[in-house]
């Protein structure tokens, strides 16, 4: 099993991007805003969450501890 160690700020960034992604998807399907507003805000949050996930994922997977591998 591989072990990955994260700092608290890294964990907060990951949680924040997941939250933005989820909020974007929720707004895309919600009925609180007009269709145009909902689409605009939803896609913006979704894209910010998705795009900011890429460098975080690269950093996290790059930090993997090679326990047990030779």
């Amino acid at each position: 099993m591989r072990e990955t160690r994260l700092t608290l700020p890294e964990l907060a960034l990951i949680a924040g991007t997941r939250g933005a992604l989820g909020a974007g998807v929720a707004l895309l399907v919600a009925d609180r805003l007009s269709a145009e507003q909902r689409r605009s805000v939803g896609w913006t949050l979704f894209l910010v969450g998705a795009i900011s996930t890429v460098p975080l994922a690269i950093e996290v997977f790059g930090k993997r501890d090679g326990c047990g591998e030779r």
Side-chain angles (χ1 to χ4, degrees):
M1 185 192 267
R2 291 186 176 181
E3 183 177 300
T4 302
R5 296 184 188 272
L6 298 173
T7 65
L8 190 56
E10 290 171 331
L11 186 59
L13 280 171
I14 292 168
T17 60
R18 301 291 87 205
L21 185 66
V25 171
L27 282 170
L28 288 171
V29 298
D31 290 329
R32 296 277 184 188
L33 302 172
S34 72
E36 185 178 332
Q37 290 173 321
R38 186 173 63 245
R39 217 173 293 118
S40 177
V41 173
W43 277 112
T44 300
L45 286 171
F46 175 81
L47 290 173
V48 166
I51 291 170
S52 61
T53 296
V54 173
L56 289 171
I58 291 169
E59 184 176 336
V60 168
F61 289 121
K63 280 186 162 188
R64 284 201 170 170
D65 193 14
C67 295
E69 292 183 20
R70 293 179 190 225

